[in-house]
Amino acid sequence: MDTRPATPTLRHCTVAHQTRRRVRILAPSLRKQSERAYLYEILLRKHPAIRHVRLTAELGSVVVWFDPHSLPKPKLLALLDAVLGNLGNASPFQKAAAEQDGGHPEQDFNLAVEGMSCASCALLIEMVLRRDPRVVDATVNYATETATVRARMDRETLHGKLGGIGYRAHSLDSLAQRRLQLERENLRIEQARKRLLWASLFSAPAIVLGMIAAHTPRVGLIELLLTAPVVLWSGRPFFVKAAKLARQGTANMDSLVALGVGSAFAYSVVSLLRGKREFYFEAAAAIVAFVLLGRYLDERAKGQAHEAIRRLIALQPQTANVLRDGAELTLAIDDVVVGDLLLVRPGERIPTDGIVAYGLSTVDESMITGESMPVVKEIGQSVTGGCINGNGALHLRATAIGADTVLSGIVRMVDQAQTGKLPIQKMVDQVSAVFVPAVMGVSALTFLGWLAAGASAGFAFGASITVLLIACPCALGLATPAAIMVGTGQAAKRGIFIRNGESLEMASKLTAMVFDKTGTITEGKPQVTDLVNLSRLPDDKILALAGAAESHSEHFLGKAILAHARELGLHLDEPAAFQSEPGRGVRAQVGKRILFIGNRHWLEEQGIKLGKAEAIAAELGTQGKTPVYMAADGKIAALFGIADKARENAREAIAQLHALGVKTLMATGDVQAAAHYIAKQVGIGQVIAQARPEDKLAIIHALQAQGEKVGMIGDGINDAPALAAADVSLAIGGGADVALQTADLTLVGGDIAKAAEAMQLSGFTIRVIRQNLFWAFGYNIVAIPVAALGKLNPMIASAAMAMSSVSVVLNSLRLQQK
């Protein structure tokens, strides 16, 4: 069954008149989602321009205080539409905008962009898109060759806009389309190899001839015949791209290469026709060959960096066995629709997310949960696409397809991390944006300067061409995204899914880590060990009422009570009403009885006297058991003792963090005795027990006020506010979906030792980025003046330029060995 939160629709939006900094949204369907309303509030709080959020689910109301300078009202309303899920019907604000833009509401596009040759291409595409008033935001990443665009236009218009400046766009809405992108990448690498092979075959003898023979007309003619195919065929993409960009009034690295090669080749042809002996044929051919070599090596290196995405995409089968009208059809995975009945034979991978409609089997879910033991799946239980079926045949009812599947979500998370930009990258982008025009200006000044100094036109021309060729901004543009791409990919291989590049950077700076207890430090598999009946009802009746009340709960303790009731085969009625209060407990009506189940504070808030239950609870706590109180019709009825073991590697994980100089603290809603019992086992000295969600949030803020960089590891709804406030939030894979959608990092399989691993990988990635930037900046700072002084041969310059970007990518690939 799909347990993701239903999306509330906006009935109408009104801007409050009291202040320009406050917006009030009426979302009536929030009333039905009081338990999951935290998700929408936390996702809004994550935005830096939003100061405060007050969400009242019972009234269907959201009030947002925001900074209008950082987040203008139209963008705020678009954000609210996205978070509150106005999927089918655009808000009045979006409708007004859509009427002005051809009737198209704002929508997000994930694209693969084909034809980018260097980092300046990505900057160019971003610039062209952002100039269009219909584009709300655009981010392009050269390293991953992807673009994320939010715009008020249709897909065909957007693709055509990119085509107009020489790039091809492909949709990335499903894993099948991503698989096609990787296949196109393989084809592109092969084409680059062939183009390089032919360029090398013809340019090598021309270079040798130019070095050993005198520049006579006969030698010039032979060099022309050898180099013409290199320049006019192998180098043709440079000229085509440069021409398209020139028509747009822009330029990039292709413009530099085309200008340098074209000038050298044309100058040499004119010299040959005029009988002069100043030829640059071999230089023009060598430039093309070296640039193609650099790009081929770039493509291969980026292909290796995409390995994490390849492995994830390979988990989904390309076809599915669909049962329709009594017949079995084999369809492409993109042709499967929600509700289709699928047949999965023993040993096959499950094609998409679904629910078991018929059959019994075990399923290997290690790719999602990290658990090595297969899980038994029977009728009514959910399965995840990409997991491996065991020995039984299953009939599944598809519940999610395409971009909505769990596997697609994981791939999207890795994508988001790889396409993210660190703060330092913004500065690099600003430098790169003006770099190409500046280099052209320096090249022109070099030519004029040498002429003014009395040098020959040929020497001045050679020096100016060398400046064009040596100053490629590729290394500068690749320095950060290449390292992020490899670093996040390596993290994904280890079961650490990083939501964005900023989190990757911040993880290495953490000085304090706050842990939840249940399901984080402990295994999250609590079992009912004690039932103390304080009522006149029989034990079975108490347990049946408690199980029914907890049947809609997502809390580990509630699930333990429900599981215990089911194990005993008790009949559980459907509750007539249910309400969950994160960090406290639940209220439910089962039959005619009003039940409250939760911690001591929850029952005391209801005015229920606990009596001797408090002493019993204290005794359970000393045994490491968590007491859960139950009241029926206003009176204490029972007390459950629930035990949950610490994770096997928890002590080792805490020790690893201590070795990195990180302070550790446990903040849990559990009672003092049980919390200290577990903390002592794993080596955490500081414990704050009976902490409600607002208390955990206050703990994070207090640590930050002391100058600490704080990480928070949790898994439940009650952890969501603290996760949102932490500098880096880590969710336990398999925990509540609210925590997973709020967190910056997800640790698959609940392995909290991966927190220290993530910090170490983060530190190494940041060191690699700094090395890359040092090399890229240093290279250009040294190379351009040397070239302008006429101390470099154009061929050597082109080779050095090609190798600079390759060295940055190869340095980034060292992360794969970490």
Side-chain angles (χ1 to χ4, degrees):
M1 183 176 294
D2 190 349
T3 60
R4 286 168 293 188
T7 308
T9 55
L10 305 184
R11 183 166 295 170
H12 62 277
C13 306
T14 58
V15 179
H17 297 292
Q18 293 92 332
T19 172
R20 294 175 59 195
R21 292 173 177 254
R22 189 177 77 174
V23 170
R24 180 170 179 256
I25 304 297
L26 299 182
S29 59
L30 277 176
R31 299 169 188 166
K32 303 176 182 179
Q33 302 182 52
S34 59
E35 182 177 1
R36 295 182 179 274
Y38 268 95
L39 171 61
Y40 308 109
E41 181 176 345
I42 299 311
L43 291 178
L44 288 172
R45 281 182 179 176
K46 295 287 277 188
H47 197 289
I50 292 180
R51 304 301 184 217
H52 181 63
V53 178
R54 187 177 72 219
L55 186 148
T56 309
E58 293 77 8
L59 300 177
S61 169
V62 185
V63 180
V64 179
W65 283 261
F66 67 103
D67 180 357
H69 300 292
S70 302
L71 186 66
K73 187 176 73 177
K75 290 194 175 183
L76 170 67
L77 295 171
L79 174 66
L80 292 170
D81 281 335
V83 172
L84 295 177
N86 192 17
L87 294 179
N89 306 294
S91 72
F93 301 97
Q94 280 197 341
K95 287 180 180 177
E99 289 172 1
Q100 298 173 4
D101 294 298
H104 297 293
E106 283 184 10
Q107 52 186 320
D108 292 314
F109 300 94
N110 294 311
L111 308 172
V113 181
E114 194 175 331
M116 289 194 289
S117 54
C118 72
S120 59
C121 291
L123 295 172
L124 170 67
I125 296 171
E126 279 188 9
M127 180 183 67
V128 170
L129 289 175
R130 288 175 176 174
R131 283 177 179 172
D132 193 314
R134 296 169 297 178
V135 175
V136 178
D137 190 29
T139 302
V140 184
N141 188 293
Y142 167 59
T144 59
E145 298 180 321
T146 57
T148 303
V149 183
R150 184 168 181 82
R152 294 185 294 270
M153 62 177 71
D154 56 36
R155 191 176 301 278
E156 290 71 24
T157 302
L158 178 59
H159 287 196
K161 191 169 186 65
L162 293 179
I165 55 174
Y167 303 95
R168 292 185 62 187
H170 306 279
S171 297
L172 287 180
D173 295 329
S174 68
L175 292 182
Q177 290 174 335
R178 291 173 186 274
R179 186 180 288 110
L180 286 175
Q181 179 202 10
L182 294 177
E183 290 175 359
R184 285 191 294 266
E185 182 182 83
N186 293 335
L187 179 61
R188 196 164 57 248
I189 292 173
E190 179 59 23
Q191 290 174 340
R193 189 187 69 84
K194 289 181 178 178
R195 201 173 287 273
L196 170 62
L197 181 64
W198 285 106
S200 302
L201 186 65
F202 284 94
S203 61
I207 293 172
V208 172
L209 190 62
M211 293 174 65
I212 65 174
H215 279 193
T216 64
R218 180 177 296 179
V219 170
L221 181 59
I222 296 173
E223 287 188 355
L224 171 62
L225 295 175
L226 287 170
T227 58
V230 178
V231 173
L232 302 179
W233 182 76
S234 295
R236 183 174 180 274
F238 302 131
F239 297 103
V240 171
K241 183 71 66 62
K244 288 184 177 180
L245 296 177
R247 287 195 292 270
Q248 297 284 333
T250 56
N252 72 350
M253 180 55 203
D254 289 293
S255 306
L256 295 182
V257 174
L259 187 59
V261 171
S263 299
F265 189 77
Y267 182 89
S268 301
V269 170
V270 171
S271 293
L272 180 63
L273 294 176
R274 296 177 63 182
K276 294 186 177 182
R277 299 191 175 193
E278 292 179 334
F279 306 142
Y280 291 98
F281 289 120
E282 72 279 7
I287 291 164
V288 172
F290 282 128
V291 172
L292 290 177
L293 173 62
R295 294 192 176 174
Y296 170 64
L297 294 175
D298 264 359
E299 292 287 354
R300 284 195 60 184
K302 286 192 295 181
Q304 293 178 44
H306 288 156
E307 189 60 29
I309 293 288
R310 290 179 193 276
R311 291 187 180 186
L312 287 169
I313 291 175
L315 293 175
Q316 186 191 54
Q318 298 187 44
T319 60
N321 302 317
V322 182
L323 303 176
R324 291 180 182 171
D325 301 324
E328 180 183 337
L329 306 173
T330 300
L331 301 180
I333 191 65
D334 279 356
D335 294 333
V336 175
V337 298
V338 172
D340 269 344
L341 189 63
L342 312 178
L343 171 62
V344 184
R345 294 185 171 87
E348 292 183 340
R349 284 196 181 273
I350 294 170
T352 193
D353 298 354
I355 294 176
V356 178
Y358 175 78
L360 176 68
S361 183
T362 58
V363 175
D364 179 359
E365 295 186 324
S366 58
M367 72 159 214
I368 300 295
T369 65
E371 295 286 347
S372 58
M373 293 297 294
V375 180
V376 176
K377 296 293 182 179
E378 55 188 358
I379 294 174
Q381 293 188 316
S382 62
V383 293
T384 303
C387 296
I388 301 174
N389 186 26
N391 295 326
L394 293 176
H395 287 187
L396 310 176
R397 187 72 64 184
T399 57
I401 58 171
D404 296 328
T405 64
V406 171
L407 185 57
S408 288
I410 293 173
V411 172
R412 187 160 52 249
M413 188 182 297
V414 177
D415 267 347
Q416 288 172 349
Q418 293 189 341
T419 57
K421 292 185 178 181
L422 304 187
I424 194 171
Q425 181 65 23
K426 295 176 182 178
M427 179 270 291
V428 174
D429 286 349
Q430 291 172 352
V431 173
S432 298
V434 299
F435 199 82
V436 172
V439 168
M440 290 181 173
V442 172
S443 176
L445 290 174
T446 299
F447 179 75
L448 296 174
W450 278 112
L451 288 180
S456 67
F459 182 85
F461 182 72
S464 65
I465 288 177
T466 305
V467 169
L468 290 177
L469 297 172
I470 200 69
C472 172
C474 286
L476 197 61
L478 275 172
T480 300
I484 291 177
M485 180 173 65
V486 181
T488 53
Q490 187 67 8
K493 288 182 184 179
R494 302 180 185 191
I496 306 167
F497 293 110
I498 302 173
R499 188 174 296 278
N500 51 58
E502 290 85 348
S503 303
L504 178 67
E505 179 182 26
M506 181 58 69
S508 65
K509 302 176 182 178
L510 295 179
T511 59
M513 190 73 73
V514 178
F515 288 87
D516 176 44
K517 181 182 79 70
T518 305
T520 303
I521 298 275
T522 61
E523 292 180 346
K525 300 175 181 177
Q527 295 181 331
V528 175
T529 58
D530 299 82
L531 169 56
V532 182
N533 192 341
L534 302 174
S535 73
R536 295 181 179 180
L537 297 173
D539 289 357
D540 284 357
K541 181 63 175 177
I542 286 289
L543 189 54
L545 289 171
E550 295 285 9
S551 61
H552 289 229
S553 175
E554 291 194 1
H555 197 281
F556 282 104
L557 300 180
K559 289 180 178 179
I561 294 173
L562 174 62
H564 189 53
R566 285 176 172 169
E567 285 174 6
L568 296 178
L570 301 178
H571 173 73
L572 305 180
D573 294 326
E574 179 69 19
F578 176 82
Q579 176 188 353
S580 175
E581 286 291 329
R584 289 176 173 81
V586 301
R587 176 189 185 278
Q589 180 179 345
V590 180
K592 295 182 179 180
R593 297 185 185 274
I594 303 298
L595 306 175
F596 289 92
I597 304 176
N599 60 28
R600 179 170 61 87
H601 294 297
W602 178 232
L603 268 69
E604 286 178 341
E605 287 175 6
Q606 315 308 318
I608 296 168
K609 296 180 180 180
L610 304 181
K612 62 180 181 181
E614 288 191 84
I616 299 171
E619 177 62 25
L620 291 172
T622 61
Q623 301 170 22
K625 299 174 182 177
T626 301
V628 176
Y629 296 82
M630 173 180 173
D633 299 328
K635 295 181 179 180
I636 189 71
L639 191 66
F640 294 91
I642 301 179
D644 189 10
K645 294 189 302 182
R647 295 182 185 272
E648 287 185 6
N649 65 342
R651 190 173 187 85
E652 179 186 353
I654 301 301
Q656 289 175 354
L657 289 172
H658 289 166
L660 294 173
V662 178
K663 303 174 185 176
T664 57
L665 179 149
M666 180 194 291
T668 175
D670 210 343
V671 296
Q672 287 279 359
H676 280 281
Y677 181 87
I678 293 295
K680 186 177 180 181
Q681 284 187 331
V682 301
I684 294 180
Q686 189 174 357
V687 178
I688 299 177
Q690 297 179 311
R692 294 174 294 184
E694 55 267 36
D695 297 327
K696 293 183 180 182
L697 181 62
I699 291 166
I700 299 293
H701 287 156
L703 288 170
Q704 290 170 332
Q706 296 169 17
E708 305 283 1
K709 297 296 183 184
V710 186
M712 168 72 191
I713 304 183
D715 71 310
I717 293 175
N718 60 321
D719 298 321
L723 287 168
D727 295 291
V728 175
S729 51
L730 303 94
I732 299 299
D737 55 354
V738 177
L740 294 176
Q741 294 184 52
T742 305
D744 300 312
L745 281 72
T746 300
L747 310 180
V748 174
D751 186 357
I752 58 176
K754 294 183 186 296
E757 215 174 321
M759 291 182 62
Q760 292 171 328
L761 184 60
S762 166
F764 190 31
T765 303
I766 298 305
R767 286 198 299 275
V768 168
I769 289 174
R770 288 172 180 161
Q771 292 165 3
N772 287 350
L773 288 173
F774 176 81
W775 166 250
F777 275 115
Y779 167 81
N780 283 293
I781 290 171
V782 172
I784 293 176
V786 172
L789 291 172
K791 302 297 184 180
L792 279 178
N793 181 282
M795 287 189 292
I796 297 175
S798 60
M801 177 271 292
M803 290 304 103
S804 67
S805 58
V806 173
S807 66
V808 164
V809 177
L810 292 178
N811 189 44
S812 300
L813 288 174
R814 290 194 303 119
L815 286 162
Q816 293 184 337
Q817 309 303 319
K818 180 65 177 173

